[in-house]
Structure formats: structure tokens, C-alpha cells
Amino acid sequence: MSDELGVTGTPAFVHGSPRDVAVIGAGMIGLSTAWFLQEAGAQVTVYERQHPGAGASWGNAGWLTPGLTAPLPEPAVLRYGLRAVLSSRSPVYLPLRADRDLWRFLLSFVFHSTARRWRRGMAAYVPLNERSLDAFDALAAGGVSTVTTPADPFLACFARERDSRGLLDELEQMGDAGQDVTFRPVTGQVLRSMEPVLSDRVAAAVQIFGQRYLNPPAFITSLADAVRARGGRILDSSEVTGLQPATTDVRVTGPSGQQHRHDAVVIATGAAFGELATPFGVRRPVQAGRGYSFSVPVERMPAGPLYFPTQRVACTPLGSRLRVAGMMEFRRPADELDPRRITAVVDAVRPLLNGVNLDDRRDEWVGSRPCTPDGLPLIGATAAPRVFVAGGHGMWGIVLGPVTGQLVAQAVLKGEVPAELTPFDPLR
Ligand SMILES: Cc1cc2nc3c(=O)[nH]c(=O)nc-3n(C[C@H](O)[C@H](O)[C@H](O)COP(=O)(O)OP(=O)(O)OC[C@H]3O[C@@H](n4cnc5c(N)ncnc54)[C@H](O)[C@@H]3O)c2cc1C
């Protein structure tokens, strides 16, 4: 442990800054926050309703792809989404009888789906994206043992060459916004020799350079181990039911009503964000965008992650099996897994892959992406002085987890929100 954040070189602690910090939620965001708080010398207690990785941070695709990390609301997604919800085989599912909160979220999402707002959001993401992989290297240098793997290659695959135009345009626009992203179109025999797992129904791909991926369960486990090894407490089965900020501390109420005092609190509860954050002036809703995944055996493992943008399916090598993930389902986080969504994912990718046994599925999983209507996370101070939040990362909470933890730790301990976080002000 050092007395500095290792980010800016300036000392973390100022007079009266918190030393005993509670983090609520042991997902990628909460655990990364805990680790970087420890890095600066703070004592941490992580309260977790179930166990580390109980939420979205377990069954996701594990992509560390700053080259794709952009706000979700944009005109093309909106057009696509409207078409998709009308089709029964769609990778987007919207219940016919959406409740008031979901309608509020969707209307706001539509409002934010303009090219101008996307450009503004993208410009906000750029400084985070730039630092995102370095933050993983900081974790590795500090003893988090599960490695990240270079995505060599990372391929976004299409049935027809003209279908890749939308992604190529988006990547160009990301570049215009300042994102460092290098890519090249690949077709025909070159593509097939690069990745024999792709069937002859895949005619074109876009190769994106400089990306990585990880094994989400292994990574979350080693991050939790690292937090414990540095003296942090992770309290499983400890749902926080209330927070009461006072002049010199914050009282955290546990499952049976008992209260614990801490100098400051960071709420990192994923799709359940609103339950604890709303009373502290965080008005922006966080909606569960549920995704599904499962693992399958392959005759030959792809050399790197495969993305099928039209089908909205992600495939990632995970140990000896291939993880297949997809779907955006707007239902409550606690609802049961719906096997029809798994079937939709299987049907979507079956024609596109060779030598993959999609019927021998294991680890079928559903989890909730914490989505905000403007596609930007909520990171920083709330209206209550000792209460901070970090969440709402939607599709990108794994790649942005460590850099978020780094920056929010700085905000908590120095009492100053770093400039990179200004667009993500939770009180916006
Ligand atoms: C199918 C799928 C694929 C994805 N692929 C990628 C990808 O490739 N790359 C990427 O960057 N992102 C990806 N994501 C998104 C990513 O998984 C999420 O953005 C990220 O995991 C969110 O992390 P989190 O820590 O905010 O939330 P979670 O991981 O959901 O953690 C929140 C934790 O808080 C706990 N909690 C909730 N309420 C309380 C309470 N009151 N008291 C105590 N504990 C509480 C929960 O039990 C949970 O453990 C994907 C998501 C899905 C669903």
C-alpha cells in the first residue's frame, strides 16, 4: 500500500479526509473502488447483499474494449431498437405492459438518442477510455493475480460486407471525438484463414486493434481476494437497507437493523442503484437491461473474442469453453431466467459458427446491466457530503470498473472530484 493514489502523484489524504470507508456492492465497480481506496491507505468494508460477483459482473462477456466503449443512446440504436422490439426473434425484449418507471426510462433514452448528444457523451468517455487499460495494469502490478489477455484479434463479424458500414461509421465518429481506435475491414479468404470458427455465412469483419478481454468470474474472485489480502472486509449476505449521513460520519443500516458508522460511503449497487442513491439527490434512473450468457464446447477455440453486431451477440474464449452472451431484456432484475431468450441467442449465432456445440450449454445465466437513459455512468459526490456513488455503466462496467474505482477513490479521499468525472456528475 502507498500513501498516494499513484494516479496524479499527489497525496491522497488531506486534513480530515475519510479513512474508514464503506463500499456497498461487491461487483466490478465496488471491488475496484475498494482496492483503489486501499491503495491510498484507507480501511474498507464492502457490504454485499449476496456474494462478490452476484450481479452483472459475473456472466458478462469480459471485453476490455475501449475502442467500442461509447454511449448507448444514438440514432442508429434507436432505429434498430424500434425495429427489433417488433420481431419475436429480436435480441431486444420489451414487455408489452411496461411499468411507469420503464416508460420514463425509455422516453428519456429516446430523448438522448440524437447525434449531438452522442458526440457530447462520447467526448466524455474518451478520457476514461484512454486510462481504462492502464488501470487494469495498476491492479496487476498491485497483486490482482488474474491476467487480462490481448484480444488478438478482436473481430466484429457480418453476413454481408455492406452490413459493416454502420460500425465503420461509428468507429470513425469515435475517432473524430478523440478516441484512439485503430481498425481495418477484413473479408473473404483472409478472414476465414484468420478465424476458421466463422462459417461461410460470415462475409466480412472489422478487426479492432489494441483491445483485451478477461475471464469475469476468475477476475472478480481474484479482485475480492486482493481486497481481503490488504485487510479489507467483504461482508457477504449483508444487504444495506438504509444510509444516514451525519456531521462526522455515515450510519449504514444492515439487514437486521444494526447500524455501523463509517467516515464515508460509496454506493456501487449496480442495477439496484436507485434504491439507496435516490434519497441523496441522484434523480437519473438506473434501469436493468438484462443480458444472458452460457458456455459451450468448441472443436477449436477462436483466437480472440467474436462480436456479431447485427445479432448483438458476443463470444469470448473462457478457459476451455466459449462464453456466448447477448440480449437486452427490459425486465426486473430479480425475474427468473427466460429460456426463450437463450434460444433466441442460440438461433442467432448457430449459422455463423463452425465446430461449436450450441446444444451442450452450461452456466446459463441472466444478469442486469445498470443502464442510464443518457448512456453515461453516475460517478462522484451526491447531495450528502459523505455519500458518493459509482454505477450506471450499462454495457461497459467491466472495462471501466478499475478507472472508475481510481477516480472515485480520489474524489472520496481528497474531497475534490477529478475533472474527468465532471460529465458523470450524479446530480446532473
Ligand atoms: C450479457 C452481458 C455482457 C456484458 N459484457 C460486458 C463486456 O464485455 N465488457 C464490459 O465492460 N461490460 C460488460 N457488461 C456490463 C457489465 O457487466 C456491467 O456494467 C458491470 O458488471 C456492472 O458492475 P457493477 O459493479 O456496477 O454492478 P454488479 O456487478 O451488478 O454489482 C452490484 C452488486 O451490488 C450488490 N447489491 C445490490 N444492492 C445491494 C444492497 N442494498 N446492499 C448490498 N449489496 C447490494 C449486488 O448483489 C451486486 O453484487 C455486460 C453485461 C451483460 C449483462
Side-chain angles (χ1 to χ4, degrees), residues 2-349:
S2 76
D3 239 11
E4 297 191 345
L5 278 171
V7 179
T8 57
T10 32
F13 287 112
V14 293
H15 179 68
S17 78
R19 288 190 173 253
D20 165 15
V21 184
V23 176
I24 309 173
M28 187 66 163
I29 304 295
L31 291 172
S32 299
T33 301
W35 194 94
F36 280 103
L37 284 164
Q38 291 178 313
E39 181 74 351
Q43 289 290 327
V44 295
T45 306
V46 182
Y47 292 85
E48 167 52 52
R49 181 159 64 181
Q50 297 179 54
H51 54 83
S57 300
W58 195 261
N60 59 79
W63 293 358
L64 310 181
T65 46
L68 284 173
T69 302
L72 184 59
E74 49 129 347
V77 163
L78 192 61
R79 279 195 301 278
Y80 172 86
L82 287 175
R83 267 202 321 272
V85 289
L86 299 173
S87 149
S88 59
R89 304 170 72 84
S90 153
V92 180
Y93 175 80
L94 188 64
L96 279 175
R97 290 171 51 198
D99 60 24
R100 211 169 53 118
D101 289 347
L102 179 53
W103 277 118
R104 188 175 147 230
F105 170 84
L106 291 171
L107 287 175
S108 183
F109 186 94
V110 170
F111 173 77
H112 285 97
S113 296
T114 66
R116 192 174 58 87
R117 284 174 198 274
W118 182 87
R119 278 196 299 275
R120 205 193 302 155
M122 189 60 230
Y125 266 110
V126 168
L128 256 56
N129 289 350
E130 265 173 10
R131 288 174 51 170
S132 60
L133 298 181
D134 292 345
F136 279 92
D137 294 339
L139 292 178
V144 176
S145 58
T146 297
V147 294
T148 60
T149 308
D152 197 11
F154 181 97
L155 291 173
C157 310
F158 299 89
R160 296 170 303 187
E161 203 174 336
R162 68 169 184 267
D163 298 340
S164 63
R165 200 57 248 165
L167 179 66
L168 289 167
D169 285 348
E170 183 168 344
L171 291 169
E172 270 156 29
Q173 285 172 34
M174 288 177 77
D176 294 343
Q179 178 69 44
D180 178 17
V181 53
T182 318
F183 55 94
R184 65 159 186 170
V186 201
T187 52
Q189 271 317 311
V190 179
L191 174 59
R192 223 154 308 287
S193 58
M194 262 174 105
E195 192 45 271
V197 168
L198 296 171
S199 79
D200 55 12
R201 299 278 288 273
V202 178
V206 178
Q207 180 178 8
I208 306 174
F209 296 91
Q211 314 299 299
R212 301 189 205 169
Y213 64 102
L214 53 70
N215 178 325
F219 197 86
I220 287 293
T221 304
S222 61
L223 186 52
D225 288 347
V227 169
R228 286 193 203 95
R230 295 167 149 218
R233 294 190 304 155
I234 301 181
L235 307 177
D236 287 4
S237 308
S238 296
E239 174 162 21
V240 171
T241 55
L243 295 172
Q244 284 170 283
T247 327
T248 55
D249 58 21
V250 186
R251 277 162 230 175
V252 173
T253 309
S256 47
Q258 74 280 23
Q259 290 197 330
H260 307 276
R261 290 165 187 259
H262 298 276
D263 296 340
V265 169
V266 181
I267 301 170
T269 48
F273 203 74
E275 291 168 20
L276 291 175
T278 309
F280 304 109
V282 182
R283 289 171 305 140
R284 217 141 270 239
V286 173
Q287 169 70 42
R290 302 202 326 163
Y292 285 72
S293 71
F294 52 84
S295 75
V296 288
V298 287
E299 281 167 20
R300 177 183 172 153
M301 189 58 85
L306 299 173
Y307 176 28
F308 299 100
T310 313
Q311 294 74 14
R312 307 253 150 194
V313 174
C315 298
T316 310
L318 220 77
S320 61
R321 294 171 73 87
L322 186 70
R323 177 171 279 183
V324 182
M327 189 53 70
M328 179 66 93
E329 183 192 50
F330 291 110
R331 285 175 60 204
R332 284 186 301 241
D335 285 355
E336 292 288 297
L337 177 149
D338 185 340
R340 289 173 302 177
R341 310 280 162 256
I342 300 265
T343 307
V345 174
V346 169
D347 291 347
V349 286

